[in-house]
Amino acid sequence: MTRTDSIPSTDFIRNIIEEDLKANKNEGRVTTRFPPEPNGYLHIGHAKSICLNFGIAAQYGGSCNLRFDDTDPSGEDVEYVESIKSDVRWLGFDWDDRLFHASDYFDQLYQYAVQLIKDGKAYVCSLSAEEIREYRGTLTKPGKDSPYRNRSVEENLDLFERMRAGEFEEGAHVLRAKIDMASSNINMRDPTFYRIKKVPHYRKGNKWCIYPMYDFTHCLSDSIEGITHSICTLEFENNRPLYDWVLDELNVDCHPQQIEFARLNLSYTVLSKRRLVELVDKGYVTGWDDPRMPTLAGMRRRGYTPEAIRNFCERIGVAKRDSIVDMAMLDHCVREDLDQRAPRVMAVLRPLRVVIDNYPEDQVEELDAPYHPQDPSMGSRKVPFSRVLYIEREDFLEDPPKTFFRLAPGREVRLRYAYYIKCVRVVKDEQTGEVVEVHCTYDPETRGGWASDGRKVKGTLHWVSAAHSLPAEVRLYDRLFQIANPSGEKEGYDFTRYLNPNSLETLTSSRVEPSLAGVAPGNRYQFERLGYFCVDPVDSSDGALVFNRTITLRDSWAKIANKERSRE
Ligand code: ATP
Ligand code: MG
């Protein structure tokens, strides 16, 4: 499969922008923004939006702002601000000096609201939240006017000013746009623009007790920053008339174009911040950076590379219709990237002791082992071989079926980079009957793994020398959910029921080859025959190595893709 990392594919949004450029709209300028709310960590869905917004800006010589959409103080926090900044940088994008906060526009937004009131386009409504809902009507039933709809401009200005001054309790009043309670678009039925919320803001402290709503804030923030193309996800399609209404009524100089695309949905996980917060708060995972989480922090800790994620975002493309992307495709992108960059080393996850009876007791040989089979520039290291080794427990069977080509009594296999060995007897635990040690002989004529008499073996095993290898903890991760689509929306639906109870298996007696002494946190390796692993950046230390399994070697996506291709 070819890599598409550097060739931006085209899509309907890029087509729109190219048309705009041809028509010299916005004087040929392209300015986008990525507008996260700092109420959680970024996930892989956000990565799609980041790649799109920053990618488009780069492609058309424009710029992309990072804007914190921080107008709802409950749940927003600097911890999230910092994590978002570091995740965007890690993904490989840079906002230079274009870091903005919607909360910095509070004064300006307030002035805009006052202007709407003066123009008779907004009013203070004193219905309760419950009543507002009732008055709104439904998809099939028009809404009805609020009894407060025709308050005078003076009364509205007075009440709005007093809302700001903190004279009223939460819920007593809201500021609403005066549009059309009979509109077929429910968003246009006098939407709320400001509500009272006596919650301090993480940046503004207690300065405000009224906060602007998304529909009022977003379009104006875009306009203030001179955004040309405001790219958002499909659920905002029905908000677009409102986006345009606000900007038209206020007659602002810059009126960006909102364009919607389908959000990323990924199988076997959830991509809603509300749900991710729940996983963290209720302790289903160890934190936002738990390697099982679909967050960028989790994926980074698990060993995914930014290149793999960018490549994935490129491949899934940008469309106008919702769909669920197969997790196997993300896995495939991760594998494809790590295959090229990860040095090969040997580790034994579940060790079984092997004694080479005819190997001298105090002899040690340093065998040459290349770091990458296709990339000699990665060099090689020495791997010590001695009389007592460990192999993978599952690579030995006492009573194997015919198709088992690994080690068994009387059978000969190759030890990678080393020798042919043949099993001559086993030692069992007297109580349990479990095989605890395997005795073998080796053929000194097969050094390097090849027999001079041309005799063939079917199996090649990885191994480590018992005395030289280092102990390590290895964390094996699997899908977080057992079902492909855990994101149901029905009332009373509990998505946590579908969590995979086996999403983490911790192995505490694994052994790794001695070249891994002192490895840097975050380093990635292929453990031969097992998968890709990364040094856990949080828990690993020189004295106590911890590895996360990023992904196994089995590529189910390549199989799916091949099948589809052969069907075509
Ligand atoms: P969530 O639905 O997970 O709570 P959100 O949309 O509320 O996410 P924001 O912080 O508002 O989160 O998102 C910032 C930007 O990222 C928005 O422009 C949003 O459209 C985009 N975004 C969020 N989730 C996805 C997704 N799954 N796919 C693509 N873009 C997304
Ligand atoms: Mg949002």
Side-chain angles (χ1 to χ4, degrees), residues 35 37 69 214 235-236 273:
E37 181 178 1
D69 206 345
Y214 174 88
E235 67 272 22
F236 294 104
K273 266 194 270 182

Side-chain angles (χ1 to χ4, degrees), residues 70-141:
D70 54 356
T71 58
D72 180 357
S74 37
E76 294 175 357
D77 197 274
V78 275
E79 177 195 346
Y80 299 130
V81 169
E82 292 311 315
S83 75
I84 289 169
K85 288 201 267 188
S86 91
D87 287 346
V88 173
R89 268 196 215 103
W90 176 76
L91 245 200
F93 299 101
D94 189 356
W95 54 90
D96 296 317
D97 56 352
R98 298 178 311 278
L99 174 64
F100 299 106
H101 297 82
S103 56
D104 283 341
Y105 309 141
F106 279 166
D107 285 306
Q108 216 168 333
L109 293 171
Y110 183 83
Q111 291 311 324
Y112 277 130
V114 167
Q115 189 184 326
L116 282 182
I117 295 173
K118 286 183 177 160
D119 293 346
K121 296 292 177 185
Y123 63 98
V124 173
C125 180
S126 309
L127 291 176
S128 67
E130 180 69 25
E131 289 165 329
I132 290 183
R133 215 170 302 125
E134 276 169 31
Y135 275 68
R136 189 175 295 132
T138 63
L139 282 174
T140 49
K141 210 176 89 204

Side-chain angles (χ1 to χ4, degrees), residues 346-363:
M346 291 197 286
V348 174
L349 300 187
R350 299 172 183 87
L352 173 64
R353 225 172 115 88
V354 172
V355 180
I356 315 281
D357 290 337
N358 60 339
Y359 196 84
E361 201 127 346
D362 46 8
Q363 183 172 311

Side-chain angles (χ1 to χ4, degrees), residues 34-37 43 45-46 48-49 233 261 263-264 271-273:
F34 172 63
E37 181 178 1
H43 53 62
H46 293 117
K48 175 176 180 179
S49 177
T233 38
F261 70 99
R263 66 196 290 114
L264 169 65
L271 293 183
S272 128
K273 266 194 270 182

